[in-house]
Amino acid sequence: MSGILAWAGPALEPDRFRRALERLTARGADRREDEDAGGAWLGATRPDWQAAADLAGPTLIDRIGDVRVVADATLYYTDDLRTAIGDAPAGPRAESAGTLVARAWTRWGVAGTGRLEGDFAFALWDGSTRTLVAARDFAGFRPLFWAPIGPGVAVASTAGALRALGADDSLDLAVLAAVSAGLHRAAGPETVFRGIRMVPAGHTLVWRDGEVRVEPHWSPPRWERGATLPFDEAAAHLRGLIARAAEERLAAAGPTSFPLSGGWDSTVLYAIAADALGRRPGSPQPRPVSISYPEGDPGREDEIILRTLAHRDASTRWIDVDSVALFDDLETRIAGQDLPFVHFYEHWNRALARAARADGARVQFSGYGGDQLFQVSNVYVSELVRRGRLLEAWREWQRKGERSRKEFVRMGVLPLLPGWAHDALTRVRGGRPLHRYLERWIPRWIDPGFARAQDLRGREEERLPSAYPGTPAEQEWRWFVLDPFFPLVASRVADFALDEGVEARAPLYDRRIVEFSATRPWTDLSLGAETKRLLRASARGLVPDDVLAPRAHRTGTTGAYAERQVRAAFPALVPRLFEGPLLLADLGIIRADSLRAVCRPFLDGRGFPNTMEVMALFYTLQTELWLRAQAGEASA
């Protein structure tokens, strides 16, 4: 991983560019390079450990003729790419990612971005056409921001680098309010700074002759289209796709770390990858690392993990979950953030990355993608309702162990209603809006007048699954793949790993697997009491049958652990909201008295019964502390 910065436009003072480049040292302070490319400046930073050829490589700025590339990238299926370009395969990672980006541009122009497979963010300058191109992979594991600055444009790995270069960093109060309320989806690709936006995952930015356009270079296929394989054959095909995706992402040197829970995503990935490695003489076996929960905790999967490992005569490195304090150094972490977003489970993820390093790994896999691609919520019963098969829909609902008629209406009927029908029902209910599927409520301490003026509810509704085409099940699938919130979280988790000296990779979120999953019917995902049917079937014979079998209740949940952490930490954190004036209240975003009333239960140790309200309070707390840090920095 690297930090990248590029500017295209009129002549720029070298010192100004280099000061901005210094803001990227959090993504690598050991190596730094910049170049005036004539009409553009490009620069990159990188840690020494990432200079290995199988990681980012030693070259910070790649050059082919008039083309210059800075890349924060790891590309996969590079032999396939070279073949498409017209070269003979040269072996994995024989060229740097930046060189391959330049060659794809030379061969196909802007369309070349759609040919790249991997985790990437890059900026390319073509001096012959005076064109700046910047792009981000469809999963969004590498961050990329852009800003118009005067008559030019800049792109960077962080918003802080763009602020240092002169981007408009006045606060966008609507976005700030959305972030402070935990409505991150309502923020979309905007940031809290008016002049800085994210390059959305799967999009390419092109600047030429002072004009900027940002367009998608990848779109998921229509769901449930093109399925031709019977279920068992589809499971075998999926196993092959997962094995290939894992092989493409394995560390070229040293071990690859596998966070292994008792859940099906990580279990299937571990079993298929270990089986594929076992067929390659001399290949290092994966190094599992697992988190142990106390007996009686609903998160405990220790025994399931041990059964999976015994099947392969393997062992794991254990982490005691209660040794990981979620809120340690929260104020320091917030103060160091370019943007007001601290992941609730940051330390939990960092603990896994540190364990990987303790095992000598520089690459760590995750099971990211399993939930998005291979399960569907109960909303799928709405398709049966839409077809008029009401009795079948109700029976399917009961087979899932559900009994609530009210919840059946919410999941099976309301998703089918058009927007005007929702509005009509809201009027009938005296103005009380219906709680749509996956919609987050605006916390009660957000000022209602401000929320109406900024249309926070409307911004949230624009990015609900219903905003996408297709059946409710397809809308949910496309929402998981396209919503900007998920790349935001994925890139932050990748950043945590980078800080700990590890590169995070997600084989299940391989583009080929995403596109294959789109072809399968919802019955492959959920049917009666069974969920993730196709994913589980892909690992048959590699995992004990009882591990793959449906479970009477959900395991691996972090709720009880999170509640212990909240009860221990919030009584000390919450009073920080009462020290001095509340900046969010001064901006008109929150009502201080309402927030303080909600916080009182923490002060006497009672806590909250409402988990969503706790999360919203966490986001408000971190946004307030971030604003205070910004104010302190401005006055220093």
Side-chain angles (χ1 to χ4, degrees):
M1 291 177 138
S2 312
I4 62 173
L5 176 65
W7 155 266
L12 188 71
E13 302 89 345
D15 287 347
R16 181 179 169 188
F17 185 86
R18 287 167 183 153
R19 284 195 299 272
L21 191 60
E22 287 176 3
R23 296 292 296 269
L24 293 173
T25 53
R27 298 187 67 80
D30 303 318
R31 299 174 180 231
R32 186 188 312 173
E33 185 179 357
D34 62 83
E35 178 182 347
D36 179 354
W41 275 86
L42 293 93
T45 65
R46 187 169 296 160
D48 276 339
W49 66 269
Q50 273 278 317
D54 65 311
L55 297 171
T59 306
L60 275 72
I61 302 178
D62 291 278
R63 303 168 176 87
I64 296 180
D66 292 326
V67 177
R68 301 289 184 272
V69 177
V70 287
D72 176 15
T74 302
L75 298 183
Y76 313 120
Y77 306 100
T78 53
D79 275 353
D80 293 351
L81 177 62
R82 291 188 188 92
T83 299
I85 291 172
D87 294 344
R93 306 181 182 98
E95 295 173 282
S96 69
T99 297
L100 288 171
V101 168
R103 296 182 65 206
W105 164 261
T106 302
R107 176 70 172 81
W108 296 294
V110 175
T113 305
R115 300 271 191 155
L116 305 175
E117 298 183 70
D119 307 324
F120 63 81
F122 70 81
L124 175 152
W125 172 251
D126 187 335
S128 64
T129 60
R130 301 184 69 78
T131 302
L132 180 74
V133 180
R136 195 174 176 208
D137 71 86
F138 83 94
F141 292 151
R142 310 293 171 94
L144 192 62
F145 299 85
W146 74 279
I149 304 177
V153 68
V155 297
S157 297
T158 69
L162 296 179
R163 293 180 72 190
L165 205 57
D168 177 7
D169 62 356
S170 58
L171 290 176
D172 184 322
L173 295 187
V175 176
L176 188 69
V179 171
S180 67
L183 305 175
H184 296 284
R185 298 181 179 99
E190 294 91 357
T191 73
V192 296
F193 301 116
R194 291 187 184 277
I196 301 175
R197 296 170 64 89
M198 288 183 281
V199 175
H203 282 63
T204 298
L205 176 149
V206 178
W207 179 93
R208 182 182 294 164
D209 298 329
E211 299 283 335
V212 177
R213 71 176 191 272
V214 181
E215 298 177 346
H217 60 249
W218 179 83
S219 296
R222 288 299 303 271
W223 202 56
E224 293 188 319
R225 299 295 198 279
T228 57
L229 295 176
F231 182 84
D232 289 341
E233 292 181 33
H237 183 69
L238 177 59
R239 179 187 293 195
L241 289 176
I242 294 173
R244 176 81 190 278
E247 288 170 344
E248 286 287 328
R249 289 163 174 79
L250 288 167
T256 299
S257 176
F258 279 67
L260 180 62
S261 71
W264 291 318
D265 304 340
S266 68
T267 298
V268 168
L269 175 60
Y270 166 73
I272 292 177
D275 179 68
L277 282 174
R279 300 172 189 275
R280 291 166 42 182
S283 295
Q285 281 294 298
R287 299 282 183 87
V289 55
S290 303
I291 295 182
S292 175
Y293 289 76
E295 290 188 12
D297 190 305
R300 185 176 177 88
E301 295 179 319
D302 298 36
E303 290 74 22
I304 300 173
I305 294 168
L306 290 171
R307 290 200 296 275
T308 299
L309 292 168
H311 200 71
R312 298 204 61 83
D313 193 24
S315 61
T316 189
R317 175 184 289 271
W318 289 101
I319 299 170
D320 177 3
V321 71
D322 285 325
S323 70
V324 182
L326 288 180
F327 305 108
D328 271 5
D329 305 318
L330 180 62
E331 291 185 59
T332 302
R333 285 186 283 145
I334 291 172
Q337 295 291 323
D338 284 337
L339 299 170
F341 179 72
V342 173
H343 194 296
F344 192 82
Y345 289 100
E346 176 176 341
H347 281 309
W348 189 91
N349 283 283
R350 286 184 180 276
L352 289 169
R354 283 194 296 270
R357 282 299 301 131
D359 276 339
R362 287 295 191 183
V363 172
Q364 185 169 58
F365 282 4
S366 79
Y368 184 85
D371 287 344
Q372 295 94 320
L373 305 180
F374 297 107
Q375 74 172 8
V376 64
S377 73
N378 292 348
V379 77
Y380 73 85
V381 300
S382 64
E383 178 61 13
L384 297 173
V385 173
R386 187 183 69 83
R387 295 177 184 177
R389 293 151 60 179
L390 294 176
L391 182 59
E392 183 181 348
W394 177 248
R395 286 173 176 169
E396 176 66 14
W397 185 256
Q398 291 181 310
R399 281 195 293 269
K400 295 193 72 64
E402 302 285 358
R403 293 292 183 270
S404 169
R405 289 181 172 84
K406 181 179 179 180
E407 188 66 9
F408 176 79
V409 170
R410 190 175 80 86
M411 298 295 286
V413 179
L414 294 184
L416 299 173
L417 299 183
W420 63 263
H422 277 275
D423 294 340
L425 285 171
T426 297
R427 288 193 295 271
V428 169
R429 288 161 51 88
R432 291 181 295 116
L434 290 164
H435 187 195
R436 301 191 191 190
Y437 168 55
L438 289 176
E439 179 182 7
R440 289 179 178 270
W441 287 111
I442 297 174
R444 48 189 164 138
W445 53 86
I446 299 295
D447 186 274
F450 182 92
R452 285 192 300 271
Q454 299 295 336
D455 193 23
L456 291 187
R457 180 175 172 81
R459 293 171 68 101
E460 173 78 359
E461 288 178 350
E462 285 177 4
R463 295 184 172 94
L464 289 175
S466 56
Y468 295 101
T471 65
E474 179 181 5
Q475 290 171 346
E476 179 183 88
W477 184 87
R478 296 180 75 83
W479 178 76
F480 273 128
V481 174
L482 295 173
D483 190 89
F485 177 69
F486 299 107
L488 170 66
V489 174
S491 64
R492 291 299 295 131
V493 172
D495 283 350
F496 307 152
L498 171 66
D499 289 345
E500 304 296 339
V502 175
E503 183 170 302
R505 299 176 182 175
L508 291 182
Y509 215 60
D510 182 280
R511 191 176 79 184
R512 301 176 185 207
I513 296 175
V514 172
E515 293 173 351
F516 175 70
S517 75
T519 68
R520 304 306 302 172
W522 60 260
T523 52
D524 279 10
L525 311 183
S526 185
L527 191 63
E530 290 197 67
T531 60
K532 297 189 178 178
R533 297 179 65 239
L534 187 67
L535 183 67
R536 289 160 44 221
S538 71
R540 283 178 185 156
L542 304 180
V543 178
D545 289 344
D546 64 330
V547 172
L548 293 178
R551 298 174 187 176
H553 56 84
R554 191 176 179 186
T555 62
T557 58
T558 57
Y561 159 65
E563 183 177 345
R564 292 195 297 273
Q565 293 289 314
V566 166
R567 289 184 179 278
F570 269 43
L573 287 173
V574 166
R576 294 285 291 120
L577 290 172
F578 306 128
E579 295 176 8
L582 290 171
L583 299 183
L584 285 170
D586 291 345
L587 292 171
I589 294 174
I590 67 170
R591 288 183 170 178
D593 55 346
S594 297
L595 179 63
R596 290 184 170 116
V598 170
C599 289
R600 285 194 187 99
F602 280 121
L603 302 182
D604 60 21
R606 286 184 289 125
F608 288 161
N610 187 328
T611 302
M612 294 304 297
E613 199 160 48
V614 172
M615 293 295 293
L617 178 62
F618 173 71
Y619 289 123
T620 299
L621 171 65
Q622 64 173 267
T623 306
E624 174 69 24
L625 294 176
W626 181 83
L627 282 171
R628 294 181 185 186
Q630 296 295 303
E633 183 179 302
S635 63

